[in-house]
Amino acid sequence: MLWLTWRQHRAQILVTCGLLLALGVLLLVSGLRATAYIADQAPPGCPGPAAACSGVNSTIYHDYYHPVFMVFGLLPIVGSALVGAFWGAPLLAAEFERGTSALAWTQSVSPRRWLVAKLCLLGGMVVAAALLLSAMISAWLPVFRDVTGDKSLEPGTFTIIGVVPAAWWLFAFVLGAAAGTFFRRTLAAMAVTVALVALTVPSVFFSRDSYAEPVRTVTTGWTALYEGGGTLVGEAWIDPSGQEITEPPAGACPPPAGVDARSERAQLLEEECLIDEGYRKAVYHHPVDRFWRFQWTETGILLTGALALGGLTVTRTLRRRR
């Protein structure tokens, strides 16, 4: 089965290895250039939060971090869709379309064993590729942590590090295989797989805040954002009596004369005035130390879906064969 799997799927395997190599080189070059810039041109103590580091921080972010991160920011949807379309969908659809399934299943290997071996072998390769890419990105991100902070819980970063990428790619792969056994046409299975991945990714993204009850933090300054490295879920005002309200009473802190009430400066002055009057902000957020809890929660959800789809694929294929 190993030799047969290699012969039938070597194009996908080689292309994936080539893409991983290219992405690895991109990360390596970006990290080395940023490190060299910091060593040669950054003032002592920079990059960092100090005001003197703002220029260095901006250069590192815009020249070395952001362009590369934008490439990987597409992986949650594009990477999963490509795996599902080019690894999963042709697995069975191509066999049915070409009629080679009739020959493959009359050999010494039983149809059930053939199906399980194919799904396990290729699924294992997909998981290994995703974990390798996740490890490379995880080694690249710390180079820029003094500039960007800890963004591990932000949606764009969360889905490309840890074990979640492997779960997403495996889910997309099995989804493609299931589409192949239902539609039995490669192009149709590929189209359905891409569409379903495009629907599933945002659905999971927007439900991520429900993985745990958010932490409530009352701010002591006049910023409305939580800056501890986690993700913001919601916020509300607390009046001087301690009651939580959606908005302060209208006119509680009117803007000074000559300041446009719709301007950002007016909003900042209003917040500062409200804080002086005894108001506070209640910020609901997930702290960054929940990263692995969320990783395993999402992985469990996706693996459950992958197992269900895998069982459906095997059952449906064998039933239609009979």
Side-chain angles (χ1 to χ4, degrees):
M1 287 300 296
L2 286 173
W3 176 246
L4 177 62
T5 301
W6 162 253
R7 292 283 296 177
Q8 288 187 312
H9 302 281
R10 57 187 173 185
Q12 295 103 307
I13 296 172
L14 291 174
V15 169
T16 302
C17 290
L19 289 174
L20 287 175
L21 179 61
L23 293 174
V25 171
L26 177 64
L27 289 170
L28 180 62
V29 171
S30 169
L32 291 176
R33 290 183 63 202
T35 302
Y37 174 82
I38 293 170
D40 296 340
Q41 302 186 41
C46 294
C53 299
S54 59
V56 172
N57 293 345
S58 178
T59 299
I60 294 172
Y61 181 85
H62 292 290
D63 292 356
Y64 304 111
Y65 172 80
H66 187 66
V68 176
F69 184 79
M70 288 302 293
V71 174
F72 293 97
L74 300 174
L75 283 178
I77 292 181
V78 176
S80 299
L82 289 175
V83 168
F86 291 99
W87 280 72
L91 179 63
L92 294 172
E95 296 279 1
F96 291 130
E97 199 169 26
R98 295 192 300 258
T100 52
S101 58
L103 174 63
W105 295 346
T106 57
Q107 308 304 309
S108 58
V109 178
S110 68
R112 184 182 297 275
R113 182 183 170 191
W114 186 92
L115 282 169
V116 172
K118 282 277 192 163
L119 289 171
C120 291
L121 285 172
L122 293 176
M125 293 180 189
V126 165
V127 168
L131 290 177
L132 177 59
L133 182 58
S134 170
M136 292 190 295
I137 297 174
S138 297
W140 173 78
L141 285 173
V143 176
F144 305 93
R145 186 152 294 167
D146 290 336
V147 175
T148 63
D150 191 340
K151 294 182 175 292
S152 56
L153 265 186
E154 291 191 359
T157 306
F158 181 85
T159 318
I160 59 176
I161 59 176
V163 295
V164 161
W168 270 111
W169 284 21
L170 181 63
F171 172 80
F173 166 72
V174 183
L175 176 63
T181 194
F182 272 89
F183 293 94
R184 299 199 169 202
R185 292 291 183 272
T186 303
L187 289 179
M190 293 171 72
V192 170
T193 300
V194 171
L196 291 177
V197 168
L199 290 173
T200 304
V201 170
S203 299
V204 174
F205 275 20
F206 290 124
S207 65
R208 194 171 287 156
D209 287 338
S210 64
Y211 291 171
E213 189 71 21
V215 175
R216 181 178 184 266
T217 300
V218 177
T219 62
T220 56
W222 49 273
T223 178
L225 297 177
Y226 175 69
E227 299 177 348
T231 56
L232 181 68
V233 178
E235 57 186 8
W237 282 99
I238 301 175
D239 65 18
S241 67
Q243 183 177 358
E244 190 170 301
I245 56 178
T246 304
E247 291 290 342
C253 280
V259 177
D260 185 356
R262 296 169 297 180
S263 67
E264 183 178 351
R265 181 167 179 265
Q267 294 174 3
L268 293 175
L269 290 172
E270 181 186 17
E271 277 201 3
E272 189 173 5
C273 170
L274 288 168
I275 294 297
D276 293 338
E277 293 293 327
Y279 287 85
R280 291 291 184 268
K281 270 288 182 74
V283 180
Y284 294 87
H285 61 93
H286 293 297
V288 73
D289 59 10
R290 291 184 173 178
F291 172 76
W292 282 109
R293 176 181 177 180
F294 279 26
Q295 282 273 316
W296 290 116
T297 299
E298 189 159 312
T299 298
I301 293 171
L302 294 170
L303 288 182
T304 301
L307 286 173
L309 288 169
L312 180 64
T313 300
V314 173
T315 303
R316 173 82 173 181
T317 303
L318 295 179
R319 182 179 299 169
R320 293 191 67 167
R321 177 178 177 268
R322 287 195 293 267

